[in-house]
Amino acid sequence: MDSQDFREAAATAIDDIASYYDNLDDRNVVSTVEPGYLRKLLPSEAPVEGEAWADIHKDIEGKILPGITHWQHPGFHAFFPCATSFPSILGELYSAALSGACFNWICSPAVTELETIVLDWLAKILGLPECYLSTGPTRGGGVIQGSASEAVLTAMVAARDKYLRETVPLEQFPEGSEAREDAIAHKRSKMVALATTATHSSTKKASIILGVRFHTIAVHADTGYSLTGPVLAKTLAELRARGLEPFFMTATMGTTDTCAVDDFAGIVSTLKSDPVHPAGTPGELWVHIDAAYAGSALVLPSVREQVSISLIENFHSFDMNMHKWLLTNFDASCLFVRDRNWFIQALTINQAVYGNKASEGGLVTDYREWQIPLGRRFRSLKIWFVLRNYGVKGLQSYISRTLKLGEEFADSLKSRPDLFEILTGPNFALTVFRVAGKEQGKSDEEVNALTKAVCEKINASGRMWVTSTVLDGRFAIRMVTSVSTTEKEHVDRAWKILVEAAEEVVKA
């Protein structure tokens, strides 16, 4: 494929993409293929001779799209959204053209510098405290990771390194000594990472990868499924009584099941008065804020006030995914840290081949020191395109619109108390509900069965897709209204499908 072939192929590809979005609502939301469908359609080996673009192109619609679940579909109400937009797609196109590993500043100065700039822009748009800016008083800053799971792992690596530096004294255990290695190994065996039963599973996975203990703190409906200060204090005391050493905790803004927000004020108060390692002293508990989905709503000043976002200046790291709710395609997980040296000290490994004057002179940021992998691609370009094309007002308008859709859907549920019971929400365009039945004398088991039947029936329609969860033994349906293509007409359609399914199931 030469440049002229590319021009022609790219024109057909762009036309396909535009048409795909123009006609997306004509498709069913979820793929209906059987497992292994694609192996039956493709050869067992790669072609020996190259194929014409026309032959490759026809297989997109004929073989690939049947196996695609359409996350941008206006009837996609499952999980959380995985956003994209036309300026974001264009950013990916340019990024692919300018391909490079870009682990050091010198590998492509614009790649590093644009990332620093747009993440400072984003931090300001979200109202993050100044300490999370690259120009802030503590020299913090942001870095683009592949996912919130990768961000949690990166933060936990830095937290582990920080805790060991602060609690295994050099004067007692000199650097490089066998005694220090033994002391660190013993200390690691006692270190424990914390999360709640509502926290995303990525924190547990990170602790498994790092070989540290993991402890789950139970949260229930009486606290809105959020972690409170007193519960955290009790947990810390109980773990320390067992000889364990808590070093890291993930707190959440917008949990997966219900979009609950942990009690930031209570957590800050508890850690400041911690009798063993008060906040700001050696050995303090590293608090990472996972705002993967709901963090996008911080573009609205009212949301910042609602969650008291200014309090995160007391924490250590914060992550949100633009690729969930802020119109930027996967992957664009934006991780901010209060002090960049925590990452650099934990993650810097030097090889002679990486050497250059700019890096060695301390004049630049090298993002290889802020992440697990070495290489990285030009992900900031699509963020730059999105922020410039939509502007702050455009992003605020989009988030406000999808929040309103969630509120209107919840109002519809409330209008039919004979059919539905809201368990939580609407929180950040997510409402969690189940079929009503307790007042009619039905047991939880019976209500669970009815709700599950309704969930399966509406998904079988092909016109919408929801996912489920279980809250304190109660099976529930999660309904999200934050996909960019979803409008009021689509939520009204979902409501109609839901009511018809519920009435049919309940009467059966």
Side-chain angles (χ1 to χ4, degrees), residues 123-133 137 253 261-269 272 287 289 291 295 298 300-318 338:
K124 293 174 182 177
I125 290 170
L126 300 177
L128 300 187
E130 191 179 4
C131 58
Y132 289 97
L133 298 174
M253 177 189 166
V261 178
D262 287 330
D263 177 14
F264 294 166
I267 293 170
V268 169
S269 176
K272 283 185 175 181
V287 179
I289 301 300
L298 292 170
L300 300 176
S302 59
V303 173
R304 295 175 211 158
E305 184 177 351
Q306 172 191 338
V307 302
S308 303
I309 199 61
S310 61
L311 289 173
I312 72 166
E313 68 181 4
N314 297 283
F315 303 144
H316 301 76
S317 51
F318 171 94
R338 206 175 75 206

mmCIF file of all heavy atoms in Angstrom, residues 123-133 137 253 261-269 272 287 289 291 295 298 300-318 338:
data_model
loop_
_atom_site.group_PDB
_atom_site.id
_atom_site.type_symbol
_atom_site.label_atom_id
_atom_site.label_comp_id
_atom_site.label_asym_id
_atom_site.label_seq_id
_atom_site.Cartn_x
_atom_site.Cartn_y
_atom_site.Cartn_z
ATOM 1 N N ALA A 123 -6.562 18.692 34.887
ATOM 2 C CA ALA A 123 -6.615 18.854 36.343
ATOM 3 C C ALA A 123 -7.364 20.129 36.724
ATOM 4 O O ALA A 123 -8.160 20.146 37.675
ATOM 5 C CB ALA A 123 -5.202 18.869 36.923
ATOM 6 N N LYS A 124 -7.121 21.192 35.972
ATOM 7 C CA LYS A 124 -7.825 22.452 36.247
ATOM 8 C C LYS A 124 -9.303 22.351 35.899
ATOM 9 O O LYS A 124 -10.158 22.871 36.633
ATOM 10 C CB LYS A 124 -7.164 23.586 35.460
ATOM 11 C CG LYS A 124 -5.743 23.912 35.917
ATOM 12 C CD LYS A 124 -5.094 24.946 35.016
ATOM 13 C CE LYS A 124 -3.661 25.239 35.437
ATOM 14 N NZ LYS A 124 -2.997 26.195 34.524
ATOM 15 N N ILE A 125 -9.616 21.693 34.783
ATOM 16 C CA ILE A 125 -11.021 21.521 34.387
ATOM 17 C C ILE A 125 -11.785 20.734 35.456
ATOM 18 O O ILE A 125 -12.951 21.018 35.743
ATOM 19 C CB ILE A 125 -11.101 20.793 33.030
ATOM 20 C CG1 ILE A 125 -10.597 21.700 31.908
ATOM 21 C CG2 ILE A 125 -12.531 20.342 32.731
ATOM 22 C CD1 ILE A 125 -10.416 20.996 30.578
ATOM 23 N N LEU A 126 -11.129 19.743 36.056
ATOM 24 C CA LEU A 126 -11.770 18.906 37.071
ATOM 25 C C LEU A 126 -11.759 19.544 38.458
ATOM 26 O O LEU A 126 -12.358 18.997 39.387
ATOM 27 C CB LEU A 126 -11.071 17.540 37.142
ATOM 28 C CG LEU A 126 -11.074 16.701 35.865
ATOM 29 C CD1 LEU A 126 -10.281 15.410 36.082
ATOM 30 C CD2 LEU A 126 -12.494 16.392 35.402
ATOM 31 N N GLY A 127 -11.060 20.647 38.611
ATOM 32 C CA GLY A 127 -10.995 21.314 39.903
ATOM 33 C C GLY A 127 -10.107 20.611 40.905
ATOM 34 O O GLY A 127 -10.300 20.738 42.124
ATOM 35 N N LEU A 128 -9.091 19.869 40.424
ATOM 36 C CA LEU A 128 -8.195 19.183 41.348
ATOM 37 C C LEU A 128 -7.330 20.210 42.084
ATOM 38 O O LEU A 128 -7.003 21.272 41.537
ATOM 39 C CB LEU A 128 -7.289 18.201 40.602
ATOM 40 C CG LEU A 128 -7.971 17.079 39.813
ATOM 41 C CD1 LEU A 128 -6.925 16.102 39.288
ATOM 42 C CD2 LEU A 128 -9.006 16.351 40.657
ATOM 43 N N PRO A 129 -6.944 19.910 43.317
ATOM 44 C CA PRO A 129 -6.071 20.828 44.055
ATOM 45 C C PRO A 129 -4.765 21.084 43.304
ATOM 46 O O PRO A 129 -4.297 20.243 42.521
ATOM 47 C CB PRO A 129 -5.822 20.080 45.373
ATOM 48 C CG PRO A 129 -7.013 19.186 45.536
ATOM 49 C CD PRO A 129 -7.373 18.765 44.145
ATOM 50 N N GLU A 130 -4.165 22.237 43.564
ATOM 51 C CA GLU A 130 -2.969 22.677 42.846
ATOM 52 C C GLU A 130 -1.810 21.696 42.978
ATOM 53 O O GLU A 130 -0.952 21.613 42.094
ATOM 54 C CB GLU A 130 -2.555 24.059 43.359
ATOM 55 C CG GLU A 130 -1.494 24.733 42.526
ATOM 56 C CD GLU A 130 -1.118 26.109 43.057
ATOM 57 O OE1 GLU A 130 -1.640 26.490 44.129
ATOM 58 O OE2 GLU A 130 -0.303 26.791 42.405
ATOM 59 N N CYS A 131 -1.796 20.920 44.054
ATOM 60 C CA CYS A 131 -0.683 19.994 44.268
ATOM 61 C C CYS A 131 -0.606 18.897 43.204
ATOM 62 O O CYS A 131 0.416 18.228 43.058
ATOM 63 C CB CYS A 131 -0.761 19.359 45.653
ATOM 64 S SG CYS A 131 -2.285 18.464 45.999
ATOM 65 N N TYR A 132 -1.689 18.712 42.438
ATOM 66 C CA TYR A 132 -1.688 17.690 41.387
ATOM 67 C C TYR A 132 -1.271 18.236 40.026
ATOM 68 O O TYR A 132 -1.280 17.516 39.032
ATOM 69 C CB TYR A 132 -3.070 17.036 41.289
ATOM 70 C CG TYR A 132 -3.371 16.145 42.463
ATOM 71 C CD1 TYR A 132 -4.124 16.604 43.543
ATOM 72 C CD2 TYR A 132 -2.889 14.839 42.525
ATOM 73 C CE1 TYR A 132 -4.389 15.794 44.644
ATOM 74 C CE2 TYR A 132 -3.143 14.013 43.610
ATOM 75 C CZ TYR A 132 -3.897 14.498 44.661
ATOM 76 O OH TYR A 132 -4.152 13.702 45.750
ATOM 77 N N LEU A 133 -0.884 19.499 39.967
ATOM 78 C CA LEU A 133 -0.386 20.097 38.735
ATOM 79 C C LEU A 133 1.124 19.916 38.624
ATOM 80 O O LEU A 133 1.839 19.881 39.633
ATOM 81 C CB LEU A 133 -0.705 21.597 38.695
ATOM 82 C CG LEU A 133 -2.179 22.006 38.700
ATOM 83 C CD1 LEU A 133 -2.290 23.521 38.816
ATOM 84 C CD2 LEU A 133 -2.867 21.519 37.440
ATOM 85 N N PRO A 137 3.053 23.303 43.914
ATOM 86 C CA PRO A 137 4.080 23.496 44.935
ATOM 87 C C PRO A 137 4.835 22.225 45.307
ATOM 88 O O PRO A 137 5.982 22.297 45.768
ATOM 89 C CB PRO A 137 3.274 24.014 46.141
ATOM 90 C CG PRO A 137 1.878 23.524 45.910
ATOM 91 C CD PRO A 137 1.699 23.547 44.433
ATOM 92 N N MET A 253 -14.481 7.379 44.179
ATOM 93 C CA MET A 253 -15.528 8.317 43.784
ATOM 94 C C MET A 253 -16.295 7.662 42.643
ATOM 95 O O MET A 253 -15.878 7.694 41.484
ATOM 96 C CB MET A 253 -14.925 9.648 43.317
ATOM 97 C CG MET A 253 -15.992 10.622 42.820
ATOM 98 S SD MET A 253 -15.293 12.091 42.032
ATOM 99 C CE MET A 253 -16.770 12.748 41.218
ATOM 100 N N VAL A 261 -19.823 7.271 46.730
ATOM 101 C CA VAL A 261 -18.599 8.041 46.966
ATOM 102 C C VAL A 261 -18.187 7.827 48.414
ATOM 103 O O VAL A 261 -18.987 8.041 49.333
ATOM 104 C CB VAL A 261 -18.817 9.540 46.699
ATOM 105 C CG1 VAL A 261 -17.543 10.330 46.997
ATOM 106 C CG2 VAL A 261 -19.258 9.762 45.251
ATOM 107 N N ASP A 262 -16.954 7.387 48.614
ATOM 108 C CA ASP A 262 -16.479 7.196 49.977
ATOM 109 C C ASP A 262 -16.413 8.533 50.710
ATOM 110 O O ASP A 262 -16.308 9.602 50.095
ATOM 111 C CB ASP A 262 -15.113 6.510 49.973
ATOM 112 C CG ASP A 262 -15.214 5.031 49.596
ATOM 113 O OD1 ASP A 262 -16.257 4.424 49.878
ATOM 114 O OD2 ASP A 262 -14.249 4.491 49.020
ATOM 115 N N ASP A 263 -16.464 8.462 52.030
ATOM 116 C CA ASP A 263 -16.525 9.656 52.879
ATOM 117 C C ASP A 263 -15.134 10.274 52.996
ATOM 118 O O ASP A 263 -14.374 9.969 53.917
ATOM 119 C CB ASP A 263 -17.062 9.250 54.258
ATOM 120 C CG ASP A 263 -17.090 10.403 55.245
ATOM 121 O OD1 ASP A 263 -16.955 11.566 54.813
ATOM 122 O OD2 ASP A 263 -17.235 10.130 56.452
ATOM 123 N N PHE A 264 -14.797 11.158 52.040
ATOM 124 C CA PHE A 264 -13.462 11.751 52.020
ATOM 125 C C PHE A 264 -13.167 12.506 53.310
ATOM 126 O O PHE A 264 -12.065 12.407 53.869
ATOM 127 C CB PHE A 264 -13.310 12.684 50.820
ATOM 128 C CG PHE A 264 -13.346 11.994 49.482
ATOM 129 C CD1 PHE A 264 -13.515 12.719 48.313
ATOM 130 C CD2 PHE A 264 -13.218 10.616 49.380
ATOM 131 C CE1 PHE A 264 -13.554 12.101 47.072
ATOM 132 C CE2 PHE A 264 -13.256 9.976 48.139
ATOM 133 C CZ PHE A 264 -13.421 10.731 46.992
ATOM 134 N N ALA A 265 -14.128 13.277 53.802
ATOM 135 C CA ALA A 265 -13.912 14.059 55.025
ATOM 136 C C ALA A 265 -13.636 13.140 56.208
ATOM 137 O O ALA A 265 -12.734 13.397 57.021
ATOM 138 C CB ALA A 265 -15.120 14.943 55.303
ATOM 139 N N GLY A 266 -14.411 12.067 56.330
ATOM 140 C CA GLY A 266 -14.207 11.128 57.425
ATOM 141 C C GLY A 266 -12.871 10.419 57.333
ATOM 142 O O GLY A 266 -12.196 10.176 58.355
ATOM 143 N N ILE A 267 -12.449 10.083 56.108
ATOM 144 C CA ILE A 267 -11.155 9.417 55.916
ATOM 145 C C ILE A 267 -10.015 10.357 56.300
ATOM 146 O O ILE A 267 -9.066 9.967 56.992
ATOM 147 C CB ILE A 267 -11.016 8.947 54.455
ATOM 148 C CG1 ILE A 267 -12.028 7.836 54.167
ATOM 149 C CG2 ILE A 267 -9.604 8.460 54.174
ATOM 150 C CD1 ILE A 267 -12.136 7.470 52.699
ATOM 151 N N VAL A 268 -10.112 11.618 55.860
ATOM 152 C CA VAL A 268 -9.075 12.591 56.207
ATOM 153 C C VAL A 268 -8.977 12.749 57.718
ATOM 154 O O VAL A 268 -7.875 12.737 58.291
ATOM 155 C CB VAL A 268 -9.378 13.954 55.543
ATOM 156 C CG1 VAL A 268 -8.465 15.046 56.110
ATOM 157 C CG2 VAL A 268 -9.209 13.858 54.033
ATOM 158 N N SER A 269 -10.113 12.900 58.379
ATOM 159 C CA SER A 269 -10.118 13.079 59.835
ATOM 160 C C SER A 269 -9.502 11.880 60.550
ATOM 161 O O SER A 269 -8.688 12.034 61.472
ATOM 162 C CB SER A 269 -11.557 13.294 60.312
ATOM 163 O OG SER A 269 -11.611 13.389 61.717
ATOM 164 N N LYS A 272 -5.644 11.793 59.910
ATOM 165 C CA LYS A 272 -4.904 12.848 60.621
ATOM 166 C C LYS A 272 -4.741 12.527 62.101
ATOM 167 O O LYS A 272 -3.754 12.929 62.735
ATOM 168 C CB LYS A 272 -5.618 14.191 60.447
ATOM 169 C CG LYS A 272 -5.391 14.838 59.087
ATOM 170 C CD LYS A 272 -6.020 16.219 59.016
ATOM 171 C CE LYS A 272 -5.670 16.900 57.697
ATOM 172 N NZ LYS A 272 -6.259 18.267 57.590
ATOM 173 N N VAL A 287 -3.321 6.939 50.230
ATOM 174 C CA VAL A 287 -4.707 6.865 49.777
ATOM 175 C C VAL A 287 -4.755 7.224 48.296
ATOM 176 O O VAL A 287 -4.367 8.322 47.888
ATOM 177 C CB VAL A 287 -5.628 7.798 50.583
ATOM 178 C CG1 VAL A 287 -7.064 7.695 50.050
ATOM 179 C CG2 VAL A 287 -5.599 7.432 52.058
ATOM 180 N N ILE A 289 -7.289 7.634 45.046
ATOM 181 C CA ILE A 289 -8.688 7.850 44.700
ATOM 182 C C ILE A 289 -8.953 7.289 43.306
ATOM 183 O O ILE A 289 -8.365 7.737 42.320
ATOM 184 C CB ILE A 289 -9.064 9.347 44.739
ATOM 185 C CG1 ILE A 289 -8.803 9.931 46.125
ATOM 186 C CG2 ILE A 289 -10.528 9.529 44.333
ATOM 187 C CD1 ILE A 289 -9.586 9.278 47.239
ATOM 188 N N ALA A 291 -11.467 7.342 40.625
ATOM 189 C CA ALA A 291 -12.635 8.056 40.109
ATOM 190 C C ALA A 291 -12.792 7.733 38.627
ATOM 191 O O ALA A 291 -13.130 8.600 37.814
ATOM 192 C CB ALA A 291 -12.481 9.556 40.318
ATOM 193 N N GLY A 295 -15.328 10.491 37.913
ATOM 194 C CA GLY A 295 -14.418 11.634 37.910
ATOM 195 C C GLY A 295 -14.689 12.619 36.794
ATOM 196 O O GLY A 295 -14.426 13.822 36.923
ATOM 197 N N LEU A 298 -16.658 15.833 37.430
ATOM 198 C CA LEU A 298 -16.030 16.967 38.115
ATOM 199 C C LEU A 298 -15.876 18.187 37.206
ATOM 200 O O LEU A 298 -15.517 19.265 37.684
ATOM 201 C CB LEU A 298 -14.662 16.562 38.667
ATOM 202 C CG LEU A 298 -14.684 15.539 39.817
ATOM 203 C CD1 LEU A 298 -13.273 15.041 40.113
ATOM 204 C CD2 LEU A 298 -15.313 16.148 41.069
ATOM 205 N N LEU A 300 -18.246 19.692 36.318
ATOM 206 C CA LEU A 300 -19.314 20.540 36.847
ATOM 207 C C LEU A 300 -18.951 21.024 38.249
ATOM 208 O O LEU A 300 -18.712 20.217 39.146
ATOM 209 C CB LEU A 300 -20.625 19.755 36.908
ATOM 210 C CG LEU A 300 -21.153 19.211 35.578
ATOM 211 C CD1 LEU A 300 -22.400 18.367 35.810
ATOM 212 C CD2 LEU A 300 -21.432 20.348 34.597
ATOM 213 N N PRO A 301 -18.899 22.337 38.476
ATOM 214 C CA PRO A 301 -18.577 22.857 39.813
ATOM 215 C C PRO A 301 -19.492 22.307 40.905
ATOM 216 O O PRO A 301 -19.053 22.093 42.036
ATOM 217 C CB PRO A 301 -18.741 24.368 39.647
ATOM 218 C CG PRO A 301 -18.465 24.615 38.193
ATOM 219 C CD PRO A 301 -19.020 23.418 37.482
ATOM 220 N N SER A 302 -20.761 22.063 40.574
ATOM 221 C CA SER A 302 -21.696 21.547 41.583
ATOM 222 C C SER A 302 -21.284 20.163 42.072
ATOM 223 O O SER A 302 -21.458 19.835 43.252
ATOM 224 C CB SER A 302 -23.110 21.483 41.003
ATOM 225 O OG SER A 302 -23.158 20.651 39.860
ATOM 226 N N VAL A 303 -20.721 19.350 41.187
ATOM 227 C CA VAL A 303 -20.272 18.013 41.578
ATOM 228 C C VAL A 303 -19.022 18.111 42.450
ATOM 229 O O VAL A 303 -18.866 17.367 43.423
ATOM 230 C CB VAL A 303 -20.015 17.134 40.338
ATOM 231 C CG1 VAL A 303 -19.392 15.799 40.734
ATOM 232 C CG2 VAL A 303 -21.318 16.910 39.578
ATOM 233 N N ARG A 304 -18.118 19.028 42.099
ATOM 234 C CA ARG A 304 -16.913 19.218 42.927
ATOM 235 C C ARG A 304 -17.300 19.541 44.365
ATOM 236 O O ARG A 304 -16.719 19.037 45.321
ATOM 237 C CB ARG A 304 -16.061 20.355 42.375
ATOM 238 C CG ARG A 304 -15.484 20.110 41.008
ATOM 239 C CD ARG A 304 -14.760 21.362 40.513
ATOM 240 N NE ARG A 304 -14.845 21.463 39.077
ATOM 241 C CZ ARG A 304 -14.702 22.581 38.389
ATOM 242 N NH1 ARG A 304 -14.467 23.729 39.033
ATOM 243 N NH2 ARG A 304 -14.783 22.590 37.071
ATOM 244 N N GLU A 305 -18.297 20.404 44.512
ATOM 245 C CA GLU A 305 -18.759 20.780 45.851
ATOM 246 C C GLU A 305 -19.443 19.597 46.532
ATOM 247 O O GLU A 305 -19.248 19.349 47.727
ATOM 248 C CB GLU A 305 -19.727 21.954 45.748
ATOM 249 C CG GLU A 305 -20.196 22.482 47.095
ATOM 250 C CD GLU A 305 -21.094 23.689 46.953
ATOM 251 O OE1 GLU A 305 -21.221 24.222 45.827
ATOM 252 O OE2 GLU A 305 -21.691 24.105 47.965
ATOM 253 N N GLN A 306 -20.216 18.852 45.774
ATOM 254 C CA GLN A 306 -20.951 17.708 46.314
ATOM 255 C C GLN A 306 -20.022 16.671 46.934
ATOM 256 O O GLN A 306 -20.310 16.119 48.003
ATOM 257 C CB GLN A 306 -21.777 17.071 45.191
ATOM 258 C CG GLN A 306 -22.463 15.755 45.547
ATOM 259 C CD GLN A 306 -23.031 15.080 44.307
ATOM 260 O OE1 GLN A 306 -23.284 15.718 43.279
ATOM 261 N NE2 GLN A 306 -23.220 13.788 44.387
ATOM 262 N N VAL A 307 -18.907 16.387 46.272
ATOM 263 C CA VAL A 307 -17.995 15.339 46.755
ATOM 264 C C VAL A 307 -16.827 15.902 47.556
ATOM 265 O O VAL A 307 -15.953 15.141 47.993
ATOM 266 C CB VAL A 307 -17.462 14.484 45.587
ATOM 267 C CG1 VAL A 307 -18.601 13.852 44.821
ATOM 268 C CG2 VAL A 307 -16.562 15.297 44.657
ATOM 269 N N SER A 308 -16.772 17.223 47.737
ATOM 270 C CA SER A 308 -15.674 17.883 48.468
ATOM 271 C C SER A 308 -14.323 17.517 47.867
ATOM 272 O O SER A 308 -13.411 17.044 48.557
ATOM 273 C CB SER A 308 -15.717 17.499 49.954
ATOM 274 O OG SER A 308 -16.966 17.829 50.526
ATOM 275 N N ILE A 309 -14.173 17.759 46.570
ATOM 276 C CA ILE A 309 -12.972 17.314 45.864
ATOM 277 C C ILE A 309 -11.713 18.001 46.389
ATOM 278 O O ILE A 309 -10.605 17.470 46.250
ATOM 279 C CB ILE A 309 -13.135 17.526 44.338
ATOM 280 C CG1 ILE A 309 -12.135 16.663 43.572
ATOM 281 C CG2 ILE A 309 -12.988 18.990 43.963
ATOM 282 C CD1 ILE A 309 -12.302 15.185 43.793
ATOM 283 N N SER A 310 -11.848 19.172 46.986
ATOM 284 C CA SER A 310 -10.665 19.856 47.520
ATOM 285 C C SER A 310 -9.956 19.024 48.577
ATOM 286 O O SER A 310 -8.748 19.188 48.810
ATOM 287 C CB SER A 310 -11.049 21.214 48.107
ATOM 288 O OG SER A 310 -11.971 21.054 49.177
ATOM 289 N N LEU A 311 -10.674 18.093 49.213
ATOM 290 C CA LEU A 311 -10.081 17.276 50.277
ATOM 291 C C LEU A 311 -9.025 16.317 49.758
ATOM 292 O O LEU A 311 -8.212 15.812 50.539
ATOM 293 C CB LEU A 311 -11.171 16.474 50.999
ATOM 294 C CG LEU A 311 -12.113 17.282 51.885
ATOM 295 C CD1 LEU A 311 -13.240 16.394 52.405
ATOM 296 C CD2 LEU A 311 -11.351 17.906 53.058
ATOM 297 N N ILE A 312 -8.991 16.066 48.448
ATOM 298 C CA ILE A 312 -8.005 15.094 47.967
ATOM 299 C C ILE A 312 -6.582 15.649 48.002
ATOM 300 O O ILE A 312 -5.635 14.927 47.711
ATOM 301 C CB ILE A 312 -8.345 14.550 46.568
ATOM 302 C CG1 ILE A 312 -8.120 15.600 45.487
ATOM 303 C CG2 ILE A 312 -9.744 13.977 46.521
ATOM 304 C CD1 ILE A 312 -8.112 15.011 44.090
ATOM 305 N N GLU A 313 -6.417 16.906 48.385
ATOM 306 C CA GLU A 313 -5.064 17.403 48.618
ATOM 307 C C GLU A 313 -4.417 16.662 49.775
ATOM 308 O O GLU A 313 -3.181 16.664 49.921
ATOM 309 C CB GLU A 313 -5.081 18.905 48.907
ATOM 310 C CG GLU A 313 -5.739 19.289 50.228
ATOM 311 C CD GLU A 313 -5.751 20.784 50.474
ATOM 312 O OE1 GLU A 313 -5.315 21.528 49.569
ATOM 313 O OE2 GLU A 313 -6.183 21.195 51.563
ATOM 314 N N ASN A 314 -5.234 15.996 50.598
ATOM 315 C CA ASN A 314 -4.719 15.211 51.709
ATOM 316 C C ASN A 314 -4.347 13.789 51.298
ATOM 317 O O ASN A 314 -3.780 13.041 52.105
ATOM 318 C CB ASN A 314 -5.778 15.126 52.820
ATOM 319 C CG ASN A 314 -6.114 16.474 53.397
ATOM 320 O OD1 ASN A 314 -5.374 17.031 54.194
ATOM 321 N ND2 ASN A 314 -7.260 17.024 52.984
ATOM 322 N N PHE A 315 -4.686 13.402 50.065
ATOM 323 C CA PHE A 315 -4.396 12.054 49.594
ATOM 324 C C PHE A 315 -3.176 12.067 48.683
ATOM 325 O O PHE A 315 -2.533 13.092 48.525
ATOM 326 C CB PHE A 315 -5.635 11.474 48.906
ATOM 327 C CG PHE A 315 -6.862 11.442 49.795
ATOM 328 C CD1 PHE A 315 -8.134 11.687 49.279
ATOM 329 C CD2 PHE A 315 -6.746 11.195 51.161
ATOM 330 C CE1 PHE A 315 -9.256 11.660 50.084
ATOM 331 C CE2 PHE A 315 -7.868 11.176 51.994
ATOM 332 C CZ PHE A 315 -9.126 11.410 51.453
ATOM 333 N N HIS A 316 -2.873 10.952 48.071
ATOM 334 C CA HIS A 316 -1.603 10.816 47.376
ATOM 335 C C HIS A 316 -1.718 10.717 45.859
ATOM 336 O O HIS A 316 -0.839 11.204 45.149
ATOM 337 C CB HIS A 316 -0.855 9.595 47.919
ATOM 338 C CG HIS A 316 -0.585 9.666 49.386
ATOM 339 N ND1 HIS A 316 -1.572 9.442 50.329
ATOM 340 C CD2 HIS A 316 0.532 9.964 50.074
ATOM 341 C CE1 HIS A 316 -1.059 9.599 51.543
ATOM 342 N NE2 HIS A 316 0.209 9.920 51.414
ATOM 343 N N SER A 317 -2.764 10.081 45.381
ATOM 344 C CA SER A 317 -2.929 9.941 43.940
ATOM 345 C C SER A 317 -4.407 9.900 43.600
ATOM 346 O O SER A 317 -5.256 9.558 44.432
ATOM 347 C CB SER A 317 -2.219 8.680 43.422
ATOM 348 O OG SER A 317 -2.590 7.527 44.164
ATOM 349 N N PHE A 318 -4.692 10.237 42.350
ATOM 350 C CA PHE A 318 -6.070 10.348 41.871
ATOM 351 C C PHE A 318 -6.094 9.910 40.418
ATOM 352 O O PHE A 318 -5.234 10.304 39.631
ATOM 353 C CB PHE A 318 -6.539 11.808 41.980
ATOM 354 C CG PHE A 318 -7.877 12.095 41.321
ATOM 355 C CD1 PHE A 318 -9.055 12.041 42.062
ATOM 356 C CD2 PHE A 318 -7.957 12.417 39.971
ATOM 357 C CE1 PHE A 318 -10.285 12.311 41.464
ATOM 358 C CE2 PHE A 318 -9.175 12.689 39.360
ATOM 359 C CZ PHE A 318 -10.347 12.632 40.117
ATOM 360 N N ARG A 338 0.573 13.537 43.802
ATOM 361 C CA ARG A 338 0.855 14.780 44.534
ATOM 362 C C ARG A 338 2.340 15.135 44.516
ATOM 363 O O ARG A 338 2.712 16.310 44.557
ATOM 364 C CB ARG A 338 0.384 14.619 45.984
ATOM 365 C CG ARG A 338 0.034 15.906 46.674
ATOM 366 C CD ARG A 338 -0.540 15.630 48.048
ATOM 367 N NE ARG A 338 0.485 15.240 48.997
ATOM 368 C CZ ARG A 338 0.289 14.484 50.073
ATOM 369 N NH1 ARG A 338 -0.931 14.014 50.302
ATOM 370 N NH2 ARG A 338 1.259 14.198 50.893
#
